[in-house]
Amino acid sequence: MAGLFVKSFVSIEDLLFDHPQLLVMGRSNVGKSSLINAITKQKSVARISKTPGKTTTFNYYLVDNKYYLVDSPGYGYAKRSKTDKERFLKMLNSYLKSRISRSVFLLVDFLVGPTKDDLYYFEILKKLDVTVYVIATKYDKISSSNRKKRENEINSLLYCKIYPISVLKKVGFEALNELIEEIIK
Ligand SMILES: Nc1nc2c(ncn2[C@@H]2O[C@H](COP(=O)(O)OP(=O)(O)OP(=O)(O)O)[C@@H](O)[C@H]2O)c(=O)[nH]1
Ligand SMILES: [Mg+2]
């Protein structure tokens, strides 16, 4: 497995059409860039930070020369300006309406559960008629006795299959890689 940063995009003229692709979405700090690094088995192909708001553009990462993972700016980040939020929504809309990507990984913090913003974007994605896969991140942060309960809670709000993962403990990547294979074939 190898991953390669290809480019950022801020307008639809910059979109790439040469490989299947998957958009990675979620609130700031949920672990989008960490997930991309884990899948590409690289430490810092995508920038990770303890400070929310690290990723500010949509970024293409080519994996195995086969497909793109598209990192996106985190939403729900208080310090972002209204213009930034509007720009994000506009880009998201154009990207998904271009029909390049019909599948989205929506990352939700396993411990925090779906936030108001997560529910808001989930509805937007449903309306755009893309297939949403909910990835529950930071699985390591919740005790094993509470996992099932929390998974059911997330499932009752976001009605679709949940893929729990932990980048820290390397949990859930077998299922996730199988899913990706299925999506890109
Ligand atoms: N415990 C734990 N921490 C994680 C995990 N995945 C990511 N983190 C931490 O969460 C923080 C945010 O991770 P990022 O990958 O930068 O999050 P992001 O969603 O890309 O954030 P933005 O770029 O700001 O939108 C970092 O401190 C990571 O180390 C995980 O599986 N377990
Ligand atoms: Mg990021």
Side-chain angles (χ1 to χ4, degrees), residues 2-9 16 18-24 32-48 54-73 95 180 184:
L4 181 74
F5 170 71
V6 178
K7 69 175 200 171
S8 299
F9 63 92
L16 299 174
D18 55 340
H19 291 292
Q21 45 201 272
L22 244 163
L23 178 66
V24 180
K32 299 176 294 297
S33 301
S34 302
L35 172 69
I36 290 175
N37 286 333
I39 290 175
T40 60
K41 294 217 168 72
Q42 289 184 28
K43 268 214 183 91
S44 56
V45 63
R47 252 191 243 161
I48 296 173
K54 191 74 194 167
T55 310
T56 53
T57 50
F58 288 76
N59 302 316
Y60 277 115
Y61 296 94
L62 181 62
V63 186
D64 281 347
N65 224 4
K66 273 201 326 219
Y67 69 97
Y68 292 119
L69 285 174
V70 182
D71 200 1
S72 66
Y95 176 72
I180 293 174
I184 63 163

Side-chain angles (χ1 to χ4, degrees), residues 84-97:
D84 277 352
K85 280 180 198 160
E86 280 162 6
R87 207 178 291 136
F88 171 74
L89 259 175
K90 213 172 140 199
M91 196 60 237
L92 178 71
N93 254 290
S94 326
Y95 176 72
L96 292 172
K97 280 186 178 155

Side-chain angles (χ1 to χ4, degrees), residues 5-154:
F5 170 71
V6 178
K7 69 175 200 171
S8 299
F9 63 92
V10 285
S11 85
I12 43 173
E13 285 84 59
D14 300 327
L15 298 184
L16 299 174
F17 293 84
D18 55 340
H19 291 292
Q21 45 201 272
L22 244 163
L23 178 66
V24 180
M25 267 186 76
R27 60 182 256 278
S28 211
N29 215 43
V30 71
K32 299 176 294 297
S33 301
S34 302
L35 172 69
I36 290 175
N37 286 333
I39 290 175
T40 60
K41 294 217 168 72
Q42 289 184 28
K43 268 214 183 91
S44 56
V45 63
R47 252 191 243 161
I48 296 173
S49 171
K50 285 199 165 59
T51 323
K54 191 74 194 167
T55 310
T56 53
T57 50
F58 288 76
N59 302 316
Y60 277 115
Y61 296 94
L62 181 62
V63 186
D64 281 347
N65 224 4
K66 273 201 326 219
Y67 69 97
Y68 292 119
L69 285 174
V70 182
D71 200 1
S72 66
Y75 52 73
Y77 172 45
K79 277 194 193 146
R80 262 207 237 296
S81 72
K82 204 172 156 230
T83 340
D84 277 352
K85 280 180 198 160
E86 280 162 6
R87 207 178 291 136
F88 171 74
L89 259 175
K90 213 172 140 199
M91 196 60 237
L92 178 71
N93 254 290
S94 326
Y95 176 72
L96 292 172
K97 280 186 178 155
S98 72
R99 309 216 148 236
I100 309 177
S101 171
R102 306 312 301 151
S103 307
V104 177
F105 280 177
L106 182 64
L107 273 54
V108 172
D109 192 307
F110 202 90
L111 185 64
V112 177
T115 62
K116 232 171 99 186
D117 285 320
D118 292 334
L119 299 173
Y120 172 75
Y121 283 102
F122 184 73
E123 284 310 313
I124 287 189
L125 294 171
K126 286 282 163 191
K127 276 188 197 134
L128 286 164
D129 200 30
V130 292
T131 310
V132 182
Y133 301 92
V134 172
I135 315 290
T137 65
K138 310 190 187 182
Y139 193 60
D140 54 275
K141 281 195 169 179
I142 195 158
S143 67
S144 49
S145 54
N146 283 324
R147 281 175 182 161
K148 197 68 219 161
K149 185 169 160 263
R150 178 45 60 94
E151 204 171 318
N152 290 339
E153 279 167 11
I154 297 176

